Amino acid sequence: MSILNSLQKSTIESLQVLYHQTFSEKDFQVNQTKPEFEGDYTVVMFSLVKSLKLSPEVIGNQLGEHLIKTYPEIFSAYNIIKGFLNLTIADDYWMNFLQQHYNDICFGKQAMNNKKVMVEYSSPNTNKPLHLGHLRNNFLGWSVAEILGANGNTVLKSCIVNDRGIHICKSMIAWQLFGNGDTPQSTGIKGDHFVGDFYVKFNDEYKKQVKELVANGMAEPEAEKEAPIMKATQQMLQDWEAGKPDVIELWKKMNGWVYEGFDVTYKRIGSDFDKMYYESNTYLLGKDIVQQGLEKNIFIRKEDGSVWIDLTADGLDEKLVLRKDGTSVYITQDIGLAQQKYDEYKIDKSIHVIGDEQNYHMKVLQLICKKMGLPYADDIHHLSYGMVELPTGKMKSREGTVVDADDLVDEMEKEAAAKTEELGKVKDFSEDELKALYHTIGLGALKFYLLRVDPKKKMIFNPEESIDFHGFTGPFIQFNHARISSVLRKNPINNDHTTGNSFLPLEKELIVLLEKYPSVIKQAGDELNPSAIAIYVYTIAKTFSSFYTEHSIANAESEEKKQLRLKLANMTAIVIKSGMQLLGINVPDRM
RNA sequence: GGUCUGGUAGCUCAGUUGGAUAGAGCAUCAGCCUUCUAAGCUGAGGGUCAUUGGUUCGAAUCCAAUCCAGAUCACCA
């Protein structure tokens, strides 16, 4: 049981004994004691005043007295300031805790429950390479999956690839027109970038054609429809849907190039999936559900044949679910895919990591599933995250302001290499070891940068300023892990129970923090929020760093003190490593 | 216009669901490496928590209104 739970429980029991009234954890608040006061945890008395009809000071005194008398193994002292009962936790309690967990690599993780969760993330389009926004999505999705696993869930990572549609045809057309038969192999360009370049080429040509038509007197909206390259693209989409062999062949070939490129990037950034879904296989799903909905009168067919759902009573709008030609739209596929996931895996919860620009869409999806009475409707959860913006505003591919994922990772690794060389602490590393280290540090900095911010909030990335390696960053945390590793390499730990020590303030601070790790994992899981982990791990590293500078471990005042500090350091290293792992970040033993 | 987010130090962000004098990092300034890794540590300056009301022992946090910024409301995905 956590110290917080023990504290709540003993408080409730004491209140029962003292006042013959039954309280629950929600009836009073427990916080960590502010550093300017004496004590470790504080119970706030004010909320008890009304029901007990006693002053906060009186309750605090009686409660404090009773607690230390009844639970001497937990509490050693108390004091009251205003309505705050500050409790000091017994040193023995901490000592036992440390002895029990200092070498426990599973500390903080929950036993398996029977829940199965699917986390869908990444969702790339096969017409362009991944960019900074995808990175936030990928890191979030992967980390959330990991965190849910640490909370005892069985987790499936999935990915829906948008591999068909008009945007894919655009790069196909452009390649036919301007490609001269070039391939990634012949040009030496990574497949996803190669195809992305043709997508850009399409837009350039399209703009040019529209401009020409307008110059010849056509109205702009009409010109946008009539541009030959656009008409060709639309024709190609129809051919694709009709299964025309040469179009299908081209489509397969170009998507194949993109996947080769994606594989490299995914491997590099540490994304992986248990299940891939392809829109080309799912885009027809959901139609039968629409049919059922029509029969139940949840959907309505308009005169032109299109099918709609009226959500105005729920504060939303009317939403189209089938076009008049009978083809399905995005939301229809999503309903179908949700059904398929449920049928296939019997998942208890389905988490969709999707940007907040699609909040409305996801709301509609959920509402439709609910109205259809689908059993999983309430278990669909949209993990909505804010866009990554530049100081100048949104990233726009048309204006060439998109920060490319591959380029960014390259830069981060280069930066890591430069810093490492400058410091010259790993001169004995082999070429391969150095490469691995640069990757660990560079990617660690990037992941931490994107994960330390609350997912819900949009964030600003300034490409002018490179991502920092000092302060509240991944490398700072990695550095502290390396420092601890270094100390532990040179000083063996004795497993005997360490006794007879009281804690210095920084030692106490560290152990109180370590004890909280399980609750942080739980919070991060409940909130689907990796930033809770990031902030926590940083706080641990920072506290350790102060402790490390202030007190010598190897040359402690006594052998007992040395053992205590070694155990503290060991547990700190384990928690840092474990927490960073939940973020998808590795920690080196040397850097 | 409707709906939904958000507004905290010069900048980027925290703030444990209502608790004690609102915290970090970056940037600025001043110190600290003959001892375990200085990607570090210590300290200083920097705030009308967008504004105004309300709720109560107590509000950055809850409620209302206003201002500002963004997203969305497609027979696009």
Side-chain angles (χ1 to χ4, degrees):
Chain A
M1 199 182 338
S2 72
I3 183 65
L4 184 63
N5 290 143
S6 307
L7 208 156
Q8 288 170 326
K9 209 171 145 237
S10 51
T11 300
I12 290 167
E13 284 174 9
S14 298
L15 290 170
Q16 179 75 50
V17 171
L18 287 169
Y19 308 111
H20 310 291
Q21 284 194 35
T22 307
F23 293 92
S24 79
E25 309 86 67
K26 286 173 195 146
D27 295 322
F28 56 90
Q29 220 169 72
V30 181
N31 318 67
Q32 248 185 279
T33 305
K34 302 253 162 193
E36 57 266 36
F37 303 103
E38 203 181 316
D40 300 322
Y41 279 88
T42 296
V43 184
V44 184
M45 297 289 100
F46 297 110
S47 56
L48 299 170
V49 169
K50 226 179 246 170
S51 38
L52 294 179
K53 300 196 176 71
L54 292 167
S55 77
E57 287 80 5
V58 170
I59 305 171
N61 266 307
Q62 294 178 340
L63 180 59
E65 190 68 35
H66 191 264
L67 282 171
I68 59 169
K69 217 171 61 199
T70 319
Y71 308 92
E73 72 284 3
I74 305 179
F75 306 104
S76 61
Y78 77 94
N79 66 80
I80 321 259
I81 295 169
K82 294 198 275 178
F84 299 92
L85 171 61
N86 302 321
L87 293 157
T88 303
I89 309 302
D91 286 342
D92 275 353
Y93 181 96
W94 297 124
M95 216 63 94
N96 288 334
F97 166 78
L98 184 61
Q99 185 62 28
Q100 204 177 335
H101 295 293
Y102 80 90
N103 210 17
D104 175 6
I105 49 170
C106 294
F107 179 65
K109 302 193 176 171
Q110 297 301 307
M112 295 306 280
N113 57 32
N114 293 318
K115 292 270 189 275
K116 200 184 264 182
V117 184
M118 182 176 273
V119 179
E120 177 195 282
Y121 73 104
S122 199
S123 317
N125 292 325
T126 58
N127 63 338
K128 56 183 178 230
L130 303 181
H131 59 69
L132 181 55
H134 292 111
L135 289 181
R136 190 177 197 194
N137 182 307
N138 274 272
F139 297 162
L140 265 176
W142 198 92
S143 177
V144 162
E146 213 58 24
I147 290 166
L148 289 170
N151 277 288
N153 301 284
T154 303
V155 183
L156 285 159
K157 286 175 270 194
S158 74
C159 180
I160 170 83
V161 184
N162 301 308
D163 64 342
R164 49 137 258 135
I166 192 81
H167 52 297
I168 309 297
C169 292
K170 286 178 181 174
S171 22
M172 287 161 66
I173 283 286
W175 185 80
Q176 277 187 333
L177 289 173
F178 312 110
N180 302 316
D182 286 349
T183 67
Q185 287 75 26
S186 75
T187 55
I189 300 172
K190 194 162 162 282
D192 49 341
H193 290 264
F194 179 84
V195 172
D197 289 346
F198 284 99
Y199 184 70
V200 172
K201 228 164 237 159
F202 170 92
N203 280 311
D204 292 346
E205 179 63 22
Y206 176 53
K207 250 187 275 176
K208 211 167 87 189
Q209 292 185 3
V210 170
K211 213 168 164 185
E212 265 169 37
L213 290 173
V214 170
N216 290 335
M218 197 182 276
E220 194 164 330
E222 201 184 343
E224 283 170 359
K225 279 182 204 154
E226 292 302 317
I229 194 166
M230 183 56 91
K231 295 201 92 164
T233 307
Q234 267 148 1
Q235 182 57 48
M236 183 176 264
L237 182 61
Q238 281 178 27
D239 291 344
W240 183 92
E241 297 202 1
K244 206 174 160 199
D246 60 320
V247 173
I248 297 291
E249 196 192 332
L250 175 63
W251 171 74
K252 280 188 177 160
K253 181 162 74 179
M254 290 186 73
N255 273 354
W257 293 339
V258 173
Y259 295 140
E260 278 171 32
F262 280 172
D263 280 349
V264 172
T265 305
Y266 280 138
K267 199 162 276 171
R268 203 174 174 205
I269 65 174
S271 281
D272 60 339
F273 306 96
D274 301 303
K275 173 73 186 178
M276 302 295 288
Y277 292 99
Y278 297 91
E279 202 194 307
S280 52
N281 295 327
T282 65
Y283 81 107
L284 295 174
L285 295 174
K287 284 190 181 186
D288 48 340
I289 296 181
V290 171
Q291 193 52 46
Q292 292 165 27
L294 274 168
E295 284 159 19
K296 291 185 195 167
N297 288 323
I298 296 168
F299 298 138
I300 40 170
R301 193 185 292 279
K302 293 204 172 173
E303 282 169 14
D304 66 357
S306 59
V307 179
W308 298 73
I309 184 166
D310 184 359
L311 301 172
T312 48
D314 297 277
L316 305 176
D317 302 277
E318 287 193 332
K319 181 82 188 171
L320 176 103
V321 291
L322 279 185
R323 297 190 185 99
K324 64 183 170 206
D325 62 6
T327 57
S328 61
V329 290
Y330 186 46
I331 195 113
T332 322
Q333 303 169 38
D334 271 358
I335 301 166
L337 183 56
Q339 176 80 52
Q340 184 174 323
K341 283 176 174 177
Y342 180 75
D343 290 344
E344 208 170 348
Y345 293 106
K346 290 283 168 288
I347 47 177
D348 297 290
K349 201 171 185 182
S350 181
I351 292 166
H352 298 66
V353 184
I354 305 175
D356 63 6
E357 57 195 355
Q358 292 192 37
N359 283 353
Y360 177 77
H361 171 81
M362 290 303 292
K363 217 168 166 178
V364 170
L365 173 65
Q366 231 162 344
L367 194 54
I368 293 179
C369 290
K370 220 169 204 168
K371 283 193 185 292
M372 288 295 297
L374 301 173
Y376 47 83
D378 289 321
D379 303 317
I380 295 174
H381 190 279
H382 176 202
L383 170 44
S384 163
Y385 65 91
M387 298 287 105
V388 184
E389 293 180 5
L390 304 172
T392 47
K394 281 189 86 167
M395 289 193 280
K396 285 180 185 140
S397 44
R398 270 172 261 133
E399 290 166 25
T401 54
V402 172
V403 178
D404 178 76
D406 292 317
D407 292 349
L408 187 54
V409 177
D410 283 345
E411 260 174 61
M412 296 304 298
E413 288 182 354
K414 251 187 244 163
E415 187 75 17
K419 285 257 159 64
T420 305
E421 257 172 60
E422 189 186 314
L423 293 168
K425 289 189 267 192
V426 288
K427 287 184 174 153
D428 57 319
F429 270 33
S430 72
E431 203 61 39
D432 284 349
E433 285 172 322
L434 282 176
K435 225 179 127 189
L437 180 64
Y438 300 157
H439 181 255
T440 299
I441 297 174
L443 191 66
L446 182 57
K447 284 192 178 180
F448 196 86
Y449 181 86
L450 290 172
L451 287 176
R452 66 179 201 187
V453 180
D454 187 334
K456 289 193 295 287
K457 299 196 176 174
K458 70 173 184 199
M459 58 185 297
I460 293 171
F461 173 82
N462 189 347
E464 303 296 312
E465 307 164 7
S466 56
I467 291 173
D468 220 315
F469 285 33
H470 301 272
F472 186 16
T473 66
F476 170 79
I477 297 164
Q478 292 171 322
F479 164 68
N480 277 289
H481 183 268
R483 263 168 152 183
I484 297 173
S485 302
S486 172
V487 175
L488 293 175
R489 273 197 298 273
K490 296 169 190 163
N491 300 277
I493 297 182
N494 178 344
N495 188 43
D496 293 348
H497 200 299
T498 311
T499 50
N501 286 301
S502 59
F503 294 94
L504 294 168
L506 280 166
E507 294 167 342
K508 175 66 86 60
E509 211 178 305
L510 198 50
I511 198 163
V512 171
L513 267 171
L514 288 168
E515 198 273 341
K516 283 165 68 171
Y517 183 48
S519 72
V520 175
I521 291 184
K522 183 171 184 309
Q523 184 205 343
D526 292 346
E527 296 174 1
L528 303 177
N529 179 9
S531 80
I533 303 278
I535 292 163
Y536 170 79
V537 176
Y538 169 68
T539 309
I540 286 274
K542 184 179 150 59
T543 305
F544 178 84
S545 195
S546 298
F547 160 75
Y548 177 91
T549 322
E550 192 73 24
H551 308 293
S552 175
I553 297 170
N555 300 312
E557 303 86 280
S558 67
E559 182 58 25
E560 273 186 338
K561 216 32 166 177
K562 178 173 172 179
Q563 285 301 320
L564 171 76
R565 288 182 187 162
L566 281 171
K567 285 175 182 170
L568 265 176
N570 196 70
M571 190 168 179
T572 302
I574 285 174
V575 169
I576 285 178
K577 186 171 191 166
S578 162
M580 291 290 265
Q581 215 111 58
L582 295 180
L583 302 176
I585 301 173
N586 288 323
V587 287
D589 292 325
R590 292 182 58 196
M591 67 186 277

